[in-house]
Amino acid sequence: MILTTEKGIRNTVEEAIENQEITDIHTHLFSPNFGDILLWDIDELLTYHYLVAEVMRWTDMDPALFWRMEKKEQAELIWQKLFVERTPVSEAARGVLTTLKEMGIDPKTKNLDTYRAEFAGRTAAAQVGAVMKQANVSNIVMTNDPFDEQERAIWFEGTRPQDDFHAVLRIDPLLNDFQNTKEKLREWGYDIQDEWNGRTIKEVNRFLEDWIDIMNPLYMAVSLPPSFAYPEESDRGRVIRDCILPVTKKHNIPFALMIGVKKRVNPDLIDAGDFVGKADIRALENLLAENQENKFLVTMLSRENQHELAVLARKFRHLMIFGCWWFMNNPVIVNEVTRMRLELLNTSFIPQHSDARVLEQVVYKWRHTKTVLKDVLTEKYEDVRSTGWPVTKEDIEKDIAAMFHENFWNFLDKDFRK
Ligand code: RAT
Ligand code: ZN
């Protein structure tokens, strides 16, 4: 059906976005059968580390004291400072309100206990269903950490995710703290030598393969500092060159790099104490140029890296860029970056992931993204229509399906190995 008016375009875009099932390609959620490590409910929503960073600006409290408080008390402090004493205009604070509203809880009461009562009657499993339905998310991709004792135990017990939850092998300690990780690997029975030699490489690879076997991950992932360089004669450079690249290539899974986080610039704030820095994109350029048979999923944290990242994706089809990550996930930046990506890459990218740490955040993260994307896409299709080109409902639906769902799965299926 050819669309002949701007209003027609807008309605079609809105409807297509609402109707499209989403694959959420990076979250910190877990399949409900993984138990307590899946975070959910209003106290978890309020104590999200994005909000911890914000509350610290409005209190003189020693952060150590904050961390000693019960979760419930922390939530009450955040509620008081960011929602009662001030208007919750920040993205993370507004997110709580959007979540309540979309989940059918009237934020109007402005009363934390009423919200708590609403959550009290629910179960994690039912809440997973409700959230996925509300956000129209059909597939959730987890972040699975083989270095986390609690999570290791769950996998070792034989627990496996339900069908619509998918694993990702996250390996930060291996790349960012090899000296300590080495000890751990030895404890777990891997013969890691002091020097970097054939035996060590084989054993690190055995560790990776063991976890690929256990988790059946969709991709292998790491977050990296702005100082990330490649190639590099360093632990990280060697592990990437000799282990990550060959193993991901062998299994035909992407290596996901999340670049630009400067960890713990304020260690007192723990997760809320991480910062951002502009990275040198030459590291990625080198990785891509030298490893044409590997697949790379990449997101960057600094706004200043976004343009060169999008241009790089024009050069290398084995690079799939994804999401507006963490400090980038603000409407003003999502708007600008998505426009730029469309202008440089057509729809050959994955515009967003939720990064939800608390189940119900899926609802607001996607609601806010959808709102921005509706405007951006309407404008882009209207620009095309105004040239006289016939824009159809089917074209729009196809593009939106690609960005929200298919680009990811198609990229996983692609095989660049010669
Ligand atoms: O966005 C976040 O919640 C961060 O704390 C990180 O988890 C980041 O997304 C990551 O995956 O490292
Ligand atoms: Zn994340």
Side-chain angles (χ1 to χ4, degrees), residues 26-28 50 143 170 223 258 325-326 353-357:
H26 169 62
T27 75
H28 297 266
Y50 292 27
T143 297
R170 179 80 177 241
S223 75
M258 306 172 72
W325 178 29
W326 199 348
H353 62 270
S354 77
D355 229 314
R357 282 182 174 261

Side-chain angles (χ1 to χ4, degrees), residues 287-332:
L287 260 177
L288 291 161
E290 289 168 18
N291 300 282
Q292 306 257 357
E293 299 181 358
N294 281 75
K295 296 189 281 200
F296 298 89
L297 273 164
V298 178
T299 197
M300 295 185 84
L301 196 52
S302 163
R303 183 184 186 182
E304 287 68 32
N305 281 127
Q306 301 307 321
H307 179 248
E308 52 198 9
L309 176 62
V311 176
L312 198 56
R314 294 171 62 88
K315 311 299 143 197
F316 294 113
R317 64 187 171 188
H318 58 313
L319 164 63
M320 177 62 77
I321 62 182
F322 74 96
C324 291
W325 178 29
W326 199 348
F327 310 118
M328 293 275 303
N329 191 2
N330 295 309
V332 61

Side-chain angles (χ1 to χ4, degrees), residues 135-418:
N136 210 4
V137 167
S138 57
N139 285 273
I140 290 184
V141 182
M142 307 181 282
T143 297
N144 303 99
D145 183 354
F147 297 94
D148 180 274
E149 290 300 339
Q150 204 183 353
E151 193 176 343
R152 284 170 69 77
I154 295 170
W155 288 100
F156 282 143
E157 277 160 16
T159 311
R160 296 294 175 264
Q162 64 184 41
D163 284 354
D164 42 6
F165 280 69
H166 310 274
V168 162
L169 178 52
R170 179 80 177 241
I171 45 149
D172 288 30
L174 197 60
L175 294 188
N176 297 331
D177 186 17
F178 188 67
Q179 286 314 313
N180 288 315
T181 302
K182 211 153 126 169
E183 298 303 326
K184 274 262 164 88
L185 292 178
R186 284 175 182 155
E187 267 172 46
W188 294 333
Y190 298 94
D191 180 21
I192 311 293
Q193 322 255 294
D194 282 330
E195 69 272 30
W196 190 254
N197 57 21
R199 177 79 188 151
T200 302
I201 293 170
K202 214 165 145 223
E203 287 296 278
V204 172
N205 289 353
R206 186 163 70 86
F207 168 78
L208 294 171
E209 302 252 9
D210 284 350
W211 280 99
I212 289 177
D213 246 22
I214 296 174
M215 288 179 178
N216 189 23
L218 296 185
Y219 57 86
M220 208 184 280
V222 67
S223 75
L224 293 161
S227 59
F228 170 56
Y230 192 86
E232 189 182 59
E233 266 314 313
S234 64
D235 289 331
R236 181 193 289 131
R238 287 184 282 267
V239 178
I240 292 179
R241 183 192 62 209
D242 297 334
C243 305
I244 307 299
L245 293 170
V247 171
T248 50
K249 183 166 133 188
K250 177 176 162 199
H251 290 269
N252 193 27
I253 58 174
F255 176 30
L257 300 99
M258 306 172 72
I259 308 170
V261 54
K262 208 164 169 192
K263 288 274 178 196
R264 307 296 191 257
V265 292
N266 185 351
D268 294 347
L269 298 187
I270 315 189
D271 275 348
D274 296 346
F275 187 43
V276 53
K278 183 183 188 301
D280 185 343
I281 197 135
R282 280 177 302 180
L284 189 57
E285 180 194 331
N286 296 336
L287 260 177
L288 291 161
E290 289 168 18
N291 300 282
Q292 306 257 357
E293 299 181 358
N294 281 75
K295 296 189 281 200
F296 298 89
L297 273 164
V298 178
T299 197
M300 295 185 84
L301 196 52
S302 163
R303 183 184 186 182
E304 287 68 32
N305 281 127
Q306 301 307 321
H307 179 248
E308 52 198 9
L309 176 62
V311 176
L312 198 56
R314 294 171 62 88
K315 311 299 143 197
F316 294 113
R317 64 187 171 188
H318 58 313
L319 164 63
M320 177 62 77
I321 62 182
F322 74 96
C324 291
W325 178 29
W326 199 348
F327 310 118
M328 293 275 303
N329 191 2
N330 295 309
V332 61
I333 298 180
V334 176
N335 190 314
E336 151 188 299
V337 168
T338 309
R339 269 171 212 275
M340 184 193 62
R341 288 173 174 173
L342 283 165
E343 288 163 16
L344 284 166
L345 296 168
N346 195 293
T347 52
S348 66
F349 64 98
I350 297 164
Q352 192 59 301
H353 62 270
S354 77
D355 229 314
R357 282 182 174 261
V358 180
L359 175 62
E360 294 85 355
Q361 287 166 348
V362 166
V363 170
Y364 95 76
K365 301 257 190 178
W366 283 108
R367 173 51 53 217
H368 291 187
T369 287
K370 287 177 193 177
T371 302
V372 173
L373 258 58
K374 283 174 184 173
D375 287 345
V376 171
L377 288 172
T378 298
E379 199 185 298
K380 291 294 164 209
Y381 288 119
E382 183 55 16
D383 287 348
V384 172
R385 190 188 70 86
S386 66
T387 66
W389 181 267
V391 176
T392 70
K393 183 172 185 281
E394 295 72 26
D395 296 334
I396 292 178
E397 286 170 352
K398 199 160 128 202
D399 289 347
I400 289 170
M403 287 189 287
F404 278 23
H405 187 71
E406 279 159 21
N407 286 347
F408 177 65
W409 296 102
N410 289 341
F411 191 64
L412 294 184
D413 277 344
K414 284 231 165 75
D415 196 342
F416 296 103
R417 293 172 301 183
K418 297 206 175 95

